[in-house]
Amino acid sequence: MSNDLMQDVVLSSRVRIARNLPDVPFPHAMNDAQAQEIVYNVLNALKQQDQAFSFHPMVSEPPLERQSMVEKHWISPELADNPQKSALLISADETTSVMLHEEDHLRVQCILPGFQGSEALKRATELVKVLEGQMQFAYQEPIGYLTCCPTNVGTGLRVSFMVHLPALALTGDLQKTLDDIRPQGMTIRGIYGEGSSAQGHIYQISNQVTLGVTEEECLQIVETVIREIANREQSARKKMEQEGGYSFQDRLMRAVGTLRYARRISSKEATSLLSLAWLAADMGYWNGLEDGEFYELLISVQPATLSCLKKNQPNEAERDVFRAEYLRDTLKDHA
Amino acid sequence: MSNDLMQDVVLSSRVRIARNLPDVPFPHAMNDAQAQEIVYNVLNALKQQDQAFSFHPMVSEPPLERQSMVEKHWISPELADNPQKSALLISADETTSVMLHEEDHLRVQCILPGFQGSEALKRATELVKVLEGQMQFAYQEPIGYLTCCPTNVGTGLRVSFMVHLPALALTGDLQKTLDDIRPQGMTIRGIYGEGSSAQGHIYQISNQVTLGVTEEECLQIVETVIREIANREQSARKKMEQEGGYSFQDRLMRAVGTLRYARRISSKEATSLLSLAWLAADMGYWNGLEDGEFYELLISVQPATLSCLKKNQPNEAERDVFRAEYLRDTLKDHA
């Protein structure tokens, strides 16, 4: 499949590497002094980096900001909910980060737009190496790196891709596709962790296995699955266009009309309409946003991220009105 | 109420005067020679007019054209269904017409946009006078003019106003309003004759009584009722805005979005969305069409009138696609 067609389906590539310090209890059991020492060492190590990292101790972030970080996939919901000892360090370009004291002491992460697994793995690995200059990680032959949860032991690596599968959902072939890839060692979640009826037909596909495979092998296995899924999605799009004709186009374009004219809209409705409008743009029915811009907009209209855009904290009803306004404004040059 | 506010609610004013010739059976019973003689006399009389009238014998009009004339309210469905002896004469500006051999020998009609009952009555009366120069009408003291159906005996006058009552429908106060005016001697029908769930919230309100009142009295009675209805509709609009707020605006503007983006649309859906979009324009939420243009568009998207706009006769599915295209094109400068 051409690179362009892959970019239509694959929204982002994420690599996450879990590491822990030897002889220090895991975060749920460690004391404040132990937590602070690790933070101190990590901060020191990152000073060596060319790129500046901003430091966000979770206790000093308001709940709304923490929630917005979850919506942006910078931190996990668990980190947001347990801010006492935890922190986030994130690079100026917002692609590379270190979560401190979630389940593991360190979780190094790189998220890049589109289908860029190798580059994400490269950057995350480099960052881990920088940290290794300052500290030693718990490692045991022949298992590999030790982690809090046994599912991460070995490489500590989780490779995930965010994929947009609206046509498979519309043709009803989505469930079969997801069932087909599960036995290949994949975990499937919605964009915000929910089940198979994911918001906006967006799914996170990631590896389950971290033991007995190298990092490169793991990436290759997941990428093969992603290519297969993207192929099926593209076939479903062609099928919808051929068989659905005007009815298909009508469904997608009405979503555009609603996004451009609604005066109040919930995040759930906005997410699912954006998914259809996005497909309309991919199909060439509409001069919409670029793929990356769509994904960004989809995250911007989530409750906490949207609220952070507004000075005075809006209640839910005001937020629905502001969301509609924000959508109209963002899409105003895309008739 | 200001004239502008009346124009928001009152779409058109129609006056129809029924006349018959003495000593000639009513149309259902007359022979071809009798029918032709009346047509001949009417054509002769209209030659005296400044304004040119075009002559449409119904037998020579294709069914689709006849159906379109019904949609435009130029002729009745009964005339379209019984084309053998019947004909339409219509003025160049399409406001004044004579239906020949429907239920009565002659039905003189004037339709004007907005709230213009007096002017419509004046023009119809003048046309009747022109015809009286050429023929004598059946008249009997103390009853008045004789007609086929007893409900028209007397003045033979029917005054009707087409009113747009979306807010009364949305607030649920419509039924009460209609129930209140029925005892005042009014007949209420939908825009195309249907019952209380009229398409596009458009109703024809007309007088029932033709006996024992003069033409001017009759007009006054109906106009008083129309002013009352327009008042209630305007109050309902204010109430919706005050109480519904963004939810009201949202509902109306989503209709605009659908009209501007749908790729196929039925006449029924188009009619009801146009009604809401029109209200959105009246409320100032949207830079929509003028009241008269909305009404015209609403008629243009009816099945037969729309089909007449397209060279090759479309089937229903093609017509739904063409209707959506026509709506997008008409509304393209009204973002």
Side-chain angles (χ1 to χ4, degrees):
Chain A
M1 190 180 303
S2 83
N3 235 13
D4 266 9
L5 288 179
M6 283 302 283
Q7 306 300 345
D8 275 0
V9 176
V10 184
L11 312 178
S12 70
S13 307
R14 178 159 69 129
V15 161
R16 185 266 285 150
I17 299 172
R19 290 291 183 269
N20 288 279
L21 285 277
D23 310 322
V24 182
F26 285 122
H28 65 271
M30 71 186 177
N31 61 36
D32 284 357
Q34 292 167 320
Q36 279 165 21
E37 195 188 333
I38 296 178
V39 170
Y40 177 80
N41 285 329
V42 171
L43 283 171
N44 254 350
L46 291 184
K47 279 190 191 144
Q48 325 298 322
Q49 283 279 291
D50 288 344
Q51 197 174 187
F53 277 71
S54 60
F55 178 51
H56 304 271
M58 282 301 124
V59 277
S60 61
E61 295 291 330
L64 201 64
E65 293 285 345
R66 294 204 300 269
Q67 193 49 41
S68 171
M69 289 178 179
V70 172
E71 288 171 357
K72 292 171 178 170
H73 295 98
W74 292 357
I75 65 173
S76 64
E78 292 71 28
L79 198 81
D81 291 345
N82 296 292
Q84 284 68 31
K85 305 172 196 155
S86 61
L88 172 75
L89 281 147
I90 187 160
S91 63
D93 67 1
E94 298 181 348
T95 63
T96 321
S97 58
V98 184
M99 253 201 295
L100 282 159
H101 311 324
E102 200 235 28
E103 191 180 272
D104 296 300
H105 293 140
L106 280 84
R107 289 194 158 184
V108 170
Q109 181 172 268
C110 178
I111 309 181
L112 294 174
F115 190 55
Q116 297 196 72
S118 301
E119 178 63 22
L121 179 58
K122 187 176 149 243
R123 295 199 198 175
T125 307
E126 281 170 5
L127 188 54
V128 170
K129 276 189 194 137
V130 169
L131 295 167
E132 276 171 336
Q134 197 74 18
M135 60 192 88
Q136 201 192 344
F137 294 130
Y139 181 88
Q140 193 179 309
E141 284 288 5
I143 300 175
Y145 291 97
L146 302 181
T147 56
C148 179
C149 178
T151 57
N152 293 314
V153 164
T155 54
L157 177 73
R158 182 82 64 222
V159 176
S160 358
F161 293 90
M162 203 74 86
V163 287
H164 184 218
L165 309 176
L168 282 173
L170 294 171
T171 54
D173 296 331
L174 182 62
Q175 203 47 55
K176 192 185 174 315
T177 302
L178 300 182
D179 289 346
D180 286 350
I181 62 170
R182 257 191 210 95
Q184 299 179 48
M186 297 298 131
T187 297
I188 301 153
R189 301 163 71 212
I191 178 174
Y192 291 119
E194 65 277 54
S196 60
S197 64
Q199 278 191 55
H201 311 119
I202 296 176
Y203 293 84
Q204 292 182 59
I205 316 265
S206 53
N207 63 304
Q208 263 175 341
V209 181
T210 51
L211 202 60
V213 285
T214 66
E215 283 79 354
E216 286 71 22
E217 281 166 355
C218 173
L219 175 63
Q220 252 178 29
I221 291 167
V222 184
E223 282 193 343
T224 305
V225 169
I226 297 300
R227 280 183 214 277
E228 167 65 19
I229 291 176
N231 255 320
R232 291 204 201 180
E233 169 66 16
Q234 291 292 2
S235 303
R237 292 180 183 193
K238 273 193 203 112
K239 188 178 153 194
M240 289 295 292
E241 180 159 58
Q242 277 157 10
E243 294 174 14
Y246 280 106
S247 142
F248 176 54
Q249 218 181 107
D250 183 55
R251 181 159 179 185
L252 305 186
M253 292 309 290
R254 281 175 184 238
V256 176
T258 304
L259 287 168
R260 296 202 66 223
Y261 282 88
R263 263 34 184 179
R264 52 183 254 183
I265 192 164
S266 70
S267 64
K268 202 172 160 193
E269 191 192 3
T271 305
S272 83
L273 291 178
L274 275 171
S275 168
L276 297 177
W278 188 345
L279 179 54
D282 282 347
M283 299 300 295
Y285 300 155
W286 175 51
N287 173 30
L289 305 170
E290 296 296 312
D291 288 311
E293 294 170 327
F294 264 118
Y295 187 44
E296 215 173 281
L297 180 57
L298 197 137
I299 288 169
S300 299
V301 298
Q302 298 310 314
T305 306
L306 189 80
S307 294
C308 290
L309 290 172
K310 220 172 150 63
K311 279 281 181 304
N312 47 346
Q313 271 191 34
N315 64 30
E316 194 180 328
E318 292 164 347
R319 200 164 56 207
D320 286 353
V321 171
F322 176 57
R323 182 178 292 110
E325 217 177 290
Y326 187 79
L327 283 163
R328 291 201 307 279
D329 192 53
T330 308
L331 299 174
K332 71 175 186 293
D333 298 325
H334 298 271
Chain B
M1 190 181 305
S2 84
N3 235 11
D4 267 9
L5 288 178
M6 284 300 285
Q7 305 300 344
D8 277 359
V9 177
V10 184
L11 312 179
S12 69
S13 308
R14 180 159 67 130
V15 161
R16 185 265 286 150
I17 300 172
R19 289 292 182 267
N20 287 279
L21 284 278
D23 310 322
V24 183
F26 285 121
H28 65 271
M30 70 185 177
N31 63 36
D32 284 357
Q34 291 167 321
Q36 277 164 24
E37 194 188 332
I38 296 178
V39 171
Y40 177 80
N41 283 331
V42 171
L43 282 171
N44 254 351
L46 291 184
K47 278 190 193 146
Q48 325 298 320
Q49 282 280 291
D50 287 343
Q51 197 174 183
F53 278 71
S54 59
F55 178 51
H56 304 272
M58 282 299 126
V59 278
S60 61
E61 295 290 330
L64 201 63
E65 293 285 346
R66 293 204 301 268
Q67 193 48 42
S68 171
M69 289 177 180
V70 172
E71 287 171 359
K72 292 171 180 170
H73 295 97
W74 291 357
I75 64 173
S76 64
E78 293 69 29
L79 198 81
D81 291 345
N82 297 292
Q84 283 70 31
K85 302 174 200 154
S86 61
L88 172 75
L89 280 148
I90 186 159
S91 64
D93 68 0
E94 299 181 348
T95 61
T96 321
S97 59
V98 185
M99 256 202 296
L100 281 159
H101 310 324
E102 200 235 28
E103 194 180 272
D104 295 300
H105 293 141
L106 280 84
R107 289 193 158 185
V108 170
Q109 181 173 269
C110 178
I111 309 181
L112 294 175
F115 191 54
Q116 297 196 69
S118 301
E119 178 63 21
L121 179 59
K122 186 175 150 243
R123 293 199 199 175
T125 306
E126 282 170 4
L127 187 54
V128 169
K129 274 188 196 139
V130 170
L131 295 167
E132 277 172 336
Q134 198 74 19
M135 60 192 87
Q136 200 192 343
F137 294 130
Y139 182 86
Q140 192 179 310
E141 283 289 5
I143 300 174
Y145 291 97
L146 302 182
T147 57
C148 178
C149 178
T151 58
N152 293 315
V153 165
T155 54
L157 177 73
R158 181 83 62 225
V159 176
S160 2
F161 293 91
M162 202 74 85
V163 287
H164 184 217
L165 309 175
L168 283 173
L170 294 171
T171 54
D173 296 331
L174 182 62
Q175 202 47 58
K176 191 184 174 315
T177 302
L178 300 183
D179 289 346
D180 285 352
I181 61 170
R182 257 190 211 95
Q184 299 179 48
M186 297 297 131
T187 297
I188 301 152
R189 302 161 70 212
I191 178 175
Y192 293 120
E194 66 276 56
S196 59
S197 65
Q199 280 190 54
H201 311 119
I202 296 177
Y203 292 84
Q204 291 181 60
I205 316 266
S206 52
N207 63 304
Q208 265 175 339
V209 181
T210 50
L211 202 58
V213 284
T214 68
E215 284 79 355
E216 285 68 23
E217 281 165 357
C218 174
L219 175 64
Q220 252 178 28
I221 291 166
V222 185
E223 282 191 346
T224 304
V225 169
I226 297 300
R227 281 183 212 277
E228 168 64 18
I229 292 177
N231 256 321
R232 291 206 199 179
E233 169 66 17
Q234 292 291 2
S235 303
R237 291 180 184 193
K238 273 194 206 111
K239 187 177 156 197
M240 291 293 296
E241 181 161 57
Q242 277 156 9
E243 294 175 14
Y246 281 107
S247 144
F248 176 54
Q249 215 181 108
D250 183 55
R251 180 158 179 188
L252 304 187
M253 292 309 289
R254 282 175 183 237
V256 176
T258 304
L259 287 169
R260 295 203 67 223
Y261 281 88
R263 264 33 184 179
R264 50 181 253 182
I265 194 163
S266 69
S267 64
K268 201 172 160 189
E269 191 191 3
T271 304
S272 85
L273 292 176
L274 275 171
S275 167
L276 298 176
W278 188 346
L279 179 54
D282 282 346
M283 298 300 295
Y285 300 155
W286 175 52
N287 171 28
L289 305 170
E290 297 295 312
D291 288 310
E293 294 170 327
F294 264 117
Y295 187 46
E296 213 172 282
L297 180 56
L298 197 139
I299 289 170
S300 298
V301 299
Q302 299 308 315
T305 305
L306 189 80
S307 295
C308 289
L309 290 171
K310 220 171 151 64
K311 279 280 181 308
N312 47 345
Q313 269 191 33
N315 63 32
E316 193 179 331
E318 292 163 347
R319 201 164 54 207
D320 285 354
V321 171
F322 176 57
R323 181 178 293 109
E325 218 177 287
Y326 187 79
L327 283 163
R328 292 201 306 280
D329 193 55
T330 308
L331 299 174
K332 72 174 186 293
D333 298 326
H334 299 269

